[in-house]
Amino acid sequence: MVFGILLTLIGIGAACALLYNCMVYAVPVAVGLWAGFSLLHAGAGPVVAIVAGFLTGGFVFAAGMVGFPASRSVVVRYVIAALFVLPAAYVGYTGALEVSTLGMSSVLWEHIVAVMCASATGGTAFARLAS
């Protein structure tokens, strides 16, 4: 009984960590999923679609990581940061809002938690982009 509860808590924690990492890397994950599903619907096999999705998402991630510190213009840095931070914050807000509806009865507190999660995911996305 206790072992089952412990495994359930570990599984929920792992799912939350995976969800948080997907929120922080929202743009590469979304572009990779889009490329993979596009290839899958175009008739490519599932292995090709998965590999192409990973490669496309990795390329977008690498382009952001290389483009941000390499650019000398402040405007270009702000644009690259906005392209990575704003979708991460939006996904963090909507993800936290959906999860918080499961355990909270107050709509106000659901939105407060969602805003806190949006600022955390946006800040984490910016910190990982700037490092």
Side-chain angles (χ1 to χ4, degrees), residues 2 11 15 22 26 42 44 49 55 62 65 68 72 77 98 108 112 116 124 129:
V2 173
C22 285
L55 288 176
M65 291 296 159
F68 186 78
R72 295 184 189 262
R77 283 188 179 196
E98 291 296 323
L108 175 68
I112 289 172
M116 290 183 344
T124 304
L129 183 66

Short mmCIF file of all heavy atoms in Angstrom, two decimals, residues 2 11 15 22 26 42 44 49 55 62 65 68 72 77 98 108 112 116 124 129:
data_model
loop_
_atom_site.label_atom_id
_atom_site.label_comp_id
_atom_site.label_asym_id
_atom_site.label_seq_id
_atom_site.Cartn_x
_atom_site.Cartn_y
_atom_site.Cartn_z
N VAL A 2 1.81 1.32 0.93
CA VAL A 2 2.69 2.48 1.04
C VAL A 2 3.58 2.58 -0.19
O VAL A 2 3.83 3.67 -0.70
CB VAL A 2 3.53 2.40 2.34
CG1 VAL A 2 4.56 3.51 2.40
CG2 VAL A 2 2.64 2.43 3.55
N GLY A 11 5.71 9.22 -9.73
CA GLY A 11 5.21 9.36 -11.09
C GLY A 11 4.60 10.73 -11.35
O GLY A 11 4.83 11.33 -12.42
N ALA A 15 6.04 13.49 -13.99
CA ALA A 15 5.18 14.08 -15.01
C ALA A 15 5.18 15.61 -14.91
O ALA A 15 5.20 16.30 -15.93
CB ALA A 15 3.75 13.55 -14.87
N CYS A 22 8.88 20.92 -20.82
CA CYS A 22 8.21 21.18 -22.11
C CYS A 22 7.68 22.61 -22.18
O CYS A 22 7.68 23.22 -23.24
CB CYS A 22 7.08 20.19 -22.34
SG CYS A 22 7.65 18.55 -22.80
N ALA A 26 9.08 25.65 -24.97
CA ALA A 26 7.83 25.58 -25.72
C ALA A 26 8.04 25.71 -27.22
O ALA A 26 7.43 24.98 -28.00
CB ALA A 26 6.86 26.66 -25.24
N ALA A 42 2.21 13.46 -44.21
CA ALA A 42 2.62 13.50 -45.62
C ALA A 42 2.96 12.11 -46.15
O ALA A 42 3.18 11.96 -47.34
CB ALA A 42 3.82 14.43 -45.79
N ALA A 44 5.39 9.93 -44.58
CA ALA A 44 6.64 9.38 -44.07
C ALA A 44 6.32 8.41 -42.94
O ALA A 44 5.28 8.47 -42.30
CB ALA A 44 7.55 10.50 -43.57
N ALA A 49 9.46 10.44 -39.02
CA ALA A 49 8.79 11.60 -38.45
C ALA A 49 9.33 11.94 -37.07
O ALA A 49 9.55 13.11 -36.75
CB ALA A 49 7.29 11.35 -38.38
N LEU A 55 15.21 16.37 -34.65
CA LEU A 55 16.24 17.19 -35.30
C LEU A 55 15.78 18.63 -35.51
O LEU A 55 16.55 19.57 -35.31
CB LEU A 55 16.64 16.55 -36.63
CG LEU A 55 17.46 15.27 -36.54
CD1 LEU A 55 17.72 14.69 -37.92
CD2 LEU A 55 18.76 15.50 -35.81
N ALA A 62 19.08 25.13 -30.92
CA ALA A 62 20.46 25.55 -31.15
C ALA A 62 20.52 26.93 -31.80
O ALA A 62 21.41 27.73 -31.47
CB ALA A 62 21.18 24.52 -32.02
N MET A 65 19.99 29.39 -29.02
CA MET A 65 21.13 29.43 -28.11
C MET A 65 22.37 30.07 -28.73
O MET A 65 23.17 30.68 -28.03
CB MET A 65 21.48 28.03 -27.61
CG MET A 65 20.46 27.44 -26.71
SD MET A 65 20.33 28.41 -25.20
CE MET A 65 18.74 27.94 -24.64
N PHE A 68 21.27 34.21 -29.85
CA PHE A 68 21.11 35.21 -28.79
C PHE A 68 22.45 35.81 -28.35
O PHE A 68 22.60 37.04 -28.37
CB PHE A 68 20.36 34.61 -27.60
CG PHE A 68 20.02 35.60 -26.53
CD1 PHE A 68 18.95 36.46 -26.68
CD2 PHE A 68 20.78 35.69 -25.38
CE1 PHE A 68 18.64 37.38 -25.70
CE2 PHE A 68 20.47 36.60 -24.39
CZ PHE A 68 19.40 37.45 -24.56
N ARG A 72 24.89 41.23 -31.92
CA ARG A 72 25.41 42.43 -31.27
C ARG A 72 24.31 43.48 -31.07
O ARG A 72 24.44 44.34 -30.23
CB ARG A 72 26.53 43.02 -32.11
CG ARG A 72 27.72 42.11 -32.20
CD ARG A 72 28.84 42.79 -32.97
NE ARG A 72 29.91 41.86 -33.25
CZ ARG A 72 31.00 41.77 -32.52
NH1 ARG A 72 31.18 42.55 -31.49
NH2 ARG A 72 31.94 40.90 -32.84
N ARG A 77 18.40 40.78 -30.01
CA ARG A 77 18.35 39.99 -28.77
C ARG A 77 16.95 40.02 -28.15
O ARG A 77 16.46 39.00 -27.66
CB ARG A 77 19.37 40.51 -27.76
CG ARG A 77 20.76 40.08 -28.08
CD ARG A 77 21.68 40.45 -26.96
NE ARG A 77 23.02 40.01 -27.29
CZ ARG A 77 23.98 39.92 -26.40
NH1 ARG A 77 23.75 40.25 -25.15
NH2 ARG A 77 25.16 39.49 -26.76
N GLU A 98 -4.85 24.89 -16.12
CA GLU A 98 -5.54 23.60 -16.27
C GLU A 98 -5.29 22.67 -15.09
O GLU A 98 -6.20 21.98 -14.63
CB GLU A 98 -5.11 22.93 -17.58
CG GLU A 98 -5.60 23.63 -18.82
CD GLU A 98 -7.10 23.62 -18.94
OE1 GLU A 98 -7.75 22.62 -18.57
OE2 GLU A 98 -7.64 24.64 -19.39
N LEU A 108 -10.06 32.84 -8.43
CA LEU A 108 -9.03 33.85 -8.23
C LEU A 108 -7.68 33.21 -7.93
O LEU A 108 -6.67 33.59 -8.52
CB LEU A 108 -9.44 34.79 -7.09
CG LEU A 108 -8.40 35.84 -6.69
CD1 LEU A 108 -8.23 36.84 -7.83
CD2 LEU A 108 -8.80 36.53 -5.42
N ILE A 112 -4.06 33.27 -9.90
CA ILE A 112 -2.85 33.72 -9.20
C ILE A 112 -1.74 32.68 -9.36
O ILE A 112 -0.59 33.02 -9.66
CB ILE A 112 -3.16 34.02 -7.72
CG1 ILE A 112 -4.00 35.28 -7.60
CG2 ILE A 112 -1.87 34.15 -6.91
CD1 ILE A 112 -4.52 35.54 -6.21
N MET A 116 1.85 33.06 -11.43
CA MET A 116 3.13 32.73 -10.81
C MET A 116 3.88 31.70 -11.66
O MET A 116 5.10 31.80 -11.85
CB MET A 116 2.93 32.22 -9.38
CG MET A 116 2.48 33.30 -8.44
SD MET A 116 2.28 32.86 -6.69
CE MET A 116 2.23 31.15 -6.58
N THR A 124 12.58 31.26 -16.38
CA THR A 124 13.48 30.14 -16.61
C THR A 124 13.89 30.05 -18.07
O THR A 124 15.05 29.78 -18.39
CB THR A 124 12.83 28.82 -16.16
OG1 THR A 124 12.44 28.95 -14.80
CG2 THR A 124 13.76 27.66 -16.32
N LEU A 129 18.13 30.79 -21.93
CA LEU A 129 18.52 31.38 -23.21
C LEU A 129 19.73 32.29 -23.04
O LEU A 129 20.63 32.30 -23.88
CB LEU A 129 17.35 32.18 -23.80
CG LEU A 129 17.55 32.82 -25.16
CD1 LEU A 129 17.71 31.75 -26.23
CD2 LEU A 129 16.37 33.71 -25.49
#
